[in-house]
Amino acid sequence: MPCPHNMMILSVKNLSKAFGGVHAVDDCSFSVESGQITALIGPNGAGKTTAFNLISGLTESDGGTVVLDGVDLTNLSAHRRAKAGLSRTFQLVRLFKNLMIREHLYLATSENDDRFLASGFASDAGHLETKMQETLQLVGLDKPPSTLALELSYGQQKILDLARALAKPHKLLMLDEPVAGINPVLRDRFKTLLKQLKARGETILVIEHDMDFVRSVADQVIVMDQGRVLAEGEPEAVLSDKRVLEAYLGT
Amino acid sequence: MEAYFIYFLTLAAIFAIGTMAYNVSAGYTGLFTLAQAGLLGVGAYTYALLTINLHWTFVTALAAALVVPAIANGILAYASKKIRGDAFAILTLWFGFVVVTLFLNWRGATRGALGLNGIPRPEFLDDTFLFLLFAVLLTALSYIVLRRIVSSPFGRALGAVRDDEVAAVALGKDVTRLRVTSAVVNGVFAGLAGALLAMFLGYINPTLFDITLLVQFIGYMVVGGLGSLEGSILGTVLLLAVREAIRFVPLDPELVGAIREIIFASILGLVILYRPRGLIGKVELE
Amino acid sequence: MDIYLQIAWNSLTIAALIAMMAASFTLIYSVTRVVHVAHGGVVLASGYFFYFGWTHGFGFVGAAALAVILAAILGVAINALVYEPLRRRRPLTGTAGMLASVAALIVIQNLLLAVWSSHTIVLHTPLERVASWAVGPLVVTPVSVLILSVAIPVFVFCALLMRFTKVGRAMRAVSDHEEMAEVVGINSKRIRMMSFAFFSAIGGLAGVLAALFYNLQPPYAVGFAVDAFSTAIVGGIGSLGGTVVAAIFINTLTNLGGFWMTAGIKTLFAFVVVFLFLLLRPQGIFGKKRR
């Protein structure tokens, strides 16, 4: 989805969340520029996934605002935020294990399927199949669309997770460790894929630990440590920043 | 003997509607309500009370019998927004118990444990064979409607809620709305089954809808297979046949009743343990 | 004023009885994560075991001891036959455990029916020959005194056990985080078994008292189960103190309601109040808020 450059598609301000006495996310602020790939990195426990959960609304924040393409998401429930244009994957793949590949993608592209009167007796629209084939081709998922999610290997599940997030109409794609635990060949494929997506005008915010991946794919890097933003900037600059190195070594 | 077969098939047809409805909620949406027997009871008593005490017509009373349990189940399902998993199941089990207690004690209207006699059915259905045809027709219709629903985009969304609620939310689905609607659908058909039961037996009492009936529905549904409407019909017919067959054992009736329940519950237990998919289920019991 | 006092005393007695059933149920859940609905069956079965002992020359205390021991064995048996095998096949996260428990409850209820018939059994013990005492305007029956004098020490004992003994701490560890408990060397399977044994015994004690307070009938198994879990859910699953408060709260609510409502409506009334309460506070009175 092409967007004008240099526009901040996502703006996070003073986001906070404490669990018991632990400040998982502490007065965190950053922005994501449209048309770019922004990497969110940091040592374990820095609060990256929590930040994702706060932005997507799965966890209730203690304070702060989230604005997506001019729309204030702060008081919206999680599913409404998704409808507003957020699409994400999860660190631990969350697929619908009894559903087929096809159904995953149809679900992603269907609107109003949570409304009984609109879709309880309807049939699927014809264009869903075409869109599904396109997405599967793009991500390179080679299995028959009638395969159940539980029959897929881990790598294939990761691909489906990404495909589903892609197929869902969105303004921002949020990927939580998309290449964690997958083999190098697949990892390279993901790298290429992300660059292809960027070329198509996608805006991507990705959490990753693989620095190699980050260096080759990201335009901007945001470093989090102990719930706060430690540094922001271009990959080479940030990754050689002393404070950042200390944060990683310190854990 | 023929009369007995007609009786058996009619009962199976009526229960099958209740089992299919249950499966839509539990097997397709993952909403494990334990109020199923209570829902049938509400449908049955709504029909019976309206026709006997308030002299409503067959059609209007039947319509009411579809609406009341649907609303009740919808409200219960709404609670699942805040009350999760185990606690929710407990709440629905409690609801079933409350329903029976309510009917037992509301003696003014329901005559309590004495039950309600002489529940009317339309004249053209007085013949047992015609009633059987009527019941089977309604079962077939229910199957067709429910099949349509679960194969629709809406039905697909229900599956998403069941398999991973968080992922469903991330796709923008209103999970609470999906659950409530599924519960309402369950309520409508459970109410239908209840009303049909009342009409068929001509007599109902509160204990008819207690935990023993709940276990029956759990059994029919789980043994037939979660996520399969066909399984629900199959499971109902097979297990009801097993129950009815035990009835012919020549022992003291109370003892036979106890043995029947023990065998039935044991079958259910074994299936839960060793064959969670049931006979032809699409989904395993978690 | 007098009648309120009497109602309060009766409510307290019944609340103590129910609290014992609910507390044992909720602590089993807390440690093993199983919604042990069949506990209602164990409680009732204990009453029947007591009856058996009493009518076969065991004496009052002997029969009570027999009942409590058999209840513990029954609880452990259910765990071994139903929940542990289920656990081996998959983590006990879904409703399979609870459904299996409902099936087990049915089996117990019908076994009791098969052995002792549906006939209501009234226990005739020397307790009947002890006259009730008049304490001011209050009529205090010996059974109610027995119940309260057993229940209160039992709660105190449970609280002390969970807090200060090695076993209790192990139970709490398993309850909080089973994997972590295993890592520090706790045999969680054994702890679960011990929980079932101990808390079923407590339920058994409640069953004996219930048999004396009411009578014996197979359908009570479900009634006890409902009392147990409805109280537990209000008090906050896993909270001992919450169960006690909840028992008093629900019971007083139902009894006060009974004044100007018929019996049927008051059960519905209690349910509706609890339903609304849980919508506002799903974790119960003292329960922990889940993230």
Side-chain angles (χ1 to χ4, degrees):
Chain A
M1 256 149 262
C3 293
H5 267 282
N6 291 324
M7 185 181 99
M8 291 307 169
I9 197 93
L10 177 74
S11 178
V12 171
K13 290 202 170 77
N14 309 113
L15 206 55
S16 294
K17 179 67 185 181
F19 294 113
V22 180
H23 287 267
V25 173
D26 195 3
D27 197 31
C28 182
S29 302
F30 61 82
S31 301
V32 173
E33 198 177 305
S34 83
Q36 285 197 344
I37 298 181
T38 306
L40 184 62
I41 68 173
N44 274 322
K48 309 183 296 292
T49 299
T50 311
F52 257 40
N53 288 339
L54 291 174
I55 294 170
S56 57
L58 288 169
T59 307
E60 225 180 287
S61 67
D62 292 336
T65 58
V66 177
V67 176
L68 178 73
D69 196 20
V71 177
D72 188 353
L73 299 184
T74 318
N75 293 317
L76 293 182
S77 63
H79 79 92
R80 284 202 204 286
R81 296 195 196 192
K83 278 201 159 79
L86 288 179
S87 185
R88 68 169 290 184
T89 63
F90 295 87
Q91 201 173 353
L92 293 172
V93 168
R94 284 187 168 267
L95 294 180
F96 305 124
K97 64 181 200 194
N98 293 301
L99 298 185
M100 304 179 221
I101 292 177
R102 164 180 288 120
E103 291 174 309
H104 280 73
L105 295 177
Y106 274 36
L107 275 165
T109 39
S110 298
E111 317 249 327
N112 288 326
D113 52 354
D114 52 0
R115 274 151 206 267
F116 180 72
L117 290 174
S119 59
F121 297 100
S123 316
D124 288 312
H127 72 269
L128 293 183
E129 183 74 13
T130 336
K131 176 86 186 164
M132 178 200 79
Q133 293 291 359
E134 276 172 21
T135 313
L136 289 180
Q137 274 237 334
L138 177 62
V139 299
L141 184 57
D142 213 1
K143 295 281 251 176
S146 56
T147 319
L148 297 181
L150 55 80
E151 293 167 1
L152 298 175
S153 70
Y154 181 71
Q156 290 165 338
Q157 290 183 350
K158 282 293 231 188
I159 299 177
L160 180 56
D161 199 16
L162 179 60
R164 182 182 59 183
L166 266 177
K168 179 198 173 303
H170 59 272
K171 297 181 177 171
L172 171 67
L173 197 58
M174 292 168 62
L175 307 178
D176 195 344
E177 299 195 39
V179 296
I182 62 178
N183 66 65
V185 173
L186 193 51
R187 196 170 312 164
D188 276 338
R189 202 147 42 105
F190 268 58
K191 261 190 234 173
T192 321
L193 183 56
L194 287 202
K195 290 190 203 164
Q196 268 179 282
L197 292 174
K198 178 186 160 187
R200 285 162 32 130
E202 294 269 357
T203 309
I204 305 176
L205 176 64
V206 53
I207 294 179
E208 245 318 318
H209 278 292
D210 183 339
M211 289 309 148
D212 205 45
F213 188 84
V214 171
R215 265 198 202 92
S216 69
V217 149
D219 300 306
Q220 275 282 105
V221 175
I222 301 171
V223 185
M224 274 184 79
D225 185 32
Q226 299 187 340
R228 302 172 150 266
V229 173
L230 186 59
E232 253 182 286
E234 302 206 352
E236 280 316 319
V238 168
L239 291 175
S240 39
D241 186 324
K242 245 195 324 190
R243 297 171 299 165
V244 173
L245 294 170
E246 264 170 29
Y248 269 96
L249 289 173
T251 48
Chain B
M1 204 51 189
E2 188 197 288
Y4 181 74
F5 271 119
I6 294 181
Y7 165 82
F8 170 77
L9 288 172
T10 314
L11 200 59
I14 295 175
F15 279 163
I17 297 177
T19 312
M20 285 192 290
Y22 196 13
N23 211 339
V24 169
S25 179
Y28 286 89
T29 318
L31 193 64
F32 260 96
T33 160
L34 292 179
Q36 199 65 14
L39 292 176
L40 260 96
V42 171
Y45 267 90
T46 303
Y47 179 79
L49 290 175
L50 286 176
T51 49
I52 294 180
N53 293 358
L54 296 181
H55 308 294
W56 282 31
T57 64
F58 161 71
V59 175
T60 49
L62 185 60
L66 301 188
V67 168
V68 179
I71 295 178
N73 211 25
I75 295 177
L76 276 178
Y78 184 75
S80 71
K81 186 174 182 170
K82 290 287 207 71
I83 305 169
R84 293 342 205 87
D86 289 338
F88 177 74
I90 291 176
L91 198 64
T92 56
L93 185 57
W94 187 9
F95 174 78
F97 183 76
V98 166
V99 163
V100 172
T101 311
L102 180 68
F103 292 151
L104 268 174
N105 289 300
W106 194 9
R107 267 170 246 133
T110 66
R111 302 200 321 160
L114 289 174
L116 288 170
N117 243 318
I119 299 172
R121 52 166 96 162
E123 268 160 28
F124 69 90
L125 291 175
D126 267 333
D127 178 67
T128 52
F129 187 69
L130 281 177
F131 193 88
L132 167 64
L133 289 181
F134 178 63
V136 171
L137 180 67
L138 283 175
T139 309
L141 268 166
S142 302
Y143 172 75
I144 292 172
V145 171
L146 289 174
R147 189 108 194 72
R148 191 73 204 269
I149 293 176
V150 300
S151 317
S152 72
F154 176 81
R156 190 169 49 225
L158 293 181
V161 170
R162 172 197 63 214
D163 285 348
D164 198 320
E165 177 187 342
V166 172
V169 168
L171 285 180
K173 311 303 174 200
D174 187 340
V175 164
T176 305
R177 192 191 187 115
L178 283 161
R179 286 205 177 107
V180 170
T181 318
S182 140
V184 167
V185 170
N186 179 5
V188 166
F189 287 91
L192 175 62
L196 283 175
L197 190 65
M199 262 183 257
F200 172 55
L201 298 175
Y203 163 77
I204 56 173
N205 71 47
T207 53
L208 200 55
F209 303 102
D210 70 2
I211 199 174
T212 313
L213 185 65
L214 170 66
V215 166
Q216 273 177 258
F217 279 112
I218 296 176
Y220 301 150
M221 180 180 68
V222 171
V223 170
L226 290 172
S228 165
L229 292 176
E230 298 80 10
S232 294
I233 299 179
L234 184 62
T236 308
V237 173
L238 284 180
L239 284 184
L240 188 62
V242 168
R243 289 178 67 88
E244 290 296 311
I246 296 176
R247 200 195 277 264
F248 292 104
V249 171
L251 287 174
D252 170 56
E254 194 175 83
L255 186 59
V256 171
I259 291 174
R260 184 182 63 209
E261 299 309 329
I262 292 171
I263 292 180
F264 189 89
S266 305
I267 293 176
L268 173 59
L270 287 170
V271 170
I272 292 176
L273 267 167
Y274 299 112
R275 179 116 186 159
R277 197 171 281 261
L279 288 166
I280 56 177
K282 296 265 170 52
V283 172
E284 275 193 7
L285 177 64
E286 301 274 316
Chain C
M1 189 60 220
D2 292 359
I3 189 130
Y4 284 116
L5 215 55
Q6 191 67 50
I7 291 182
W9 178 257
N10 292 346
S11 294
L12 201 61
T13 310
I14 298 176
L17 196 55
I18 294 180
M20 280 179 74
M21 298 181 202
S24 41
F25 168 83
T26 207
L27 288 168
I28 288 177
Y29 178 83
S30 167
V31 178
T32 68
R33 286 280 168 278
V34 177
V35 182
H36 182 46
V37 173
H39 191 57
V42 172
V43 170
L44 180 64
S46 177
Y48 276 96
F49 295 149
F50 175 74
Y51 171 71
F52 176 80
W54 174 248
T55 51
H56 284 79
F58 273 71
F60 192 88
V61 176
L66 175 71
V68 169
I69 292 172
L70 287 179
I73 294 176
L74 182 57
V76 170
I78 296 173
N79 182 43
L81 288 171
V82 180
Y83 307 134
E84 293 294 338
L86 208 52
R87 236 180 246 278
R88 278 198 283 274
R89 325 204 90 240
R90 68 190 77 96
L92 226 49
T93 47
T95 32
M98 187 168 170
L99 293 183
S101 195
V102 172
L105 176 65
I106 292 284
V107 171
I108 296 177
Q109 179 175 329
N110 283 280
L111 280 173
L112 294 174
L113 178 61
V115 174
W116 279 288
S117 92
S118 58
H119 211 61
T120 305
I121 295 177
V122 181
L123 276 130
H124 297 290
T125 66
L127 224 49
E128 292 179 322
R129 279 177 254 137
V130 180
S132 301
W133 302 291
V135 178
L138 218 51
V139 174
V140 169
T141 63
V143 183
S144 66
V145 172
L146 182 63
I147 290 176
L148 286 166
S149 54
V150 168
I152 296 173
V154 163
F155 290 135
V156 173
F157 182 68
C158 273
L160 291 175
L161 178 98
M162 295 301 275
R163 191 161 264 275
F164 294 120
T165 65
K166 193 164 162 215
V167 170
R169 277 199 297 268
M171 282 183 185
R172 278 191 296 141
V174 171
S175 163
D176 282 336
H177 204 307
E178 189 175 329
E179 278 157 19
M180 202 46 78
E182 287 265 335
V183 165
V184 299
I186 296 177
N187 183 342
S188 58
K189 184 167 175 186
R190 193 143 67 90
I191 292 292
R192 286 195 295 268
M193 189 209 77
M194 291 173 71
S195 305
F196 268 98
F198 183 69
F199 298 124
S200 298
I202 305 238
L205 205 48
V208 171
L209 294 169
L212 293 168
F213 190 73
Y214 300 113
N215 47 50
L216 291 170
Q217 270 187 55
Y220 286 176
V222 180
F224 290 157
V226 175
D227 285 333
F229 62 63
S230 60
T231 308
I233 206 180
V234 173
I237 302 260
S239 161
L240 186 55
T243 336
V244 175
V245 173
I248 298 175
F249 170 67
I250 295 183
N251 226 34
T252 325
L253 188 72
T254 343
N255 283 333
L256 280 179
F259 245 2
W260 20 271
M261 293 179 211
T262 61
I265 305 287
K266 84 178 177 192
T267 330
L268 184 61
F269 173 70
F271 176 80
V272 171
V273 170
V274 170
F275 183 82
L276 294 171
F277 170 74
L278 286 174
L279 278 182
L280 291 169
R281 204 183 154 81
Q283 68 269 37
I285 296 176
F286 289 150
K288 292 173 252 191
K289 194 158 195 189
R290 305 259 205 96
R291 277 208 244 142

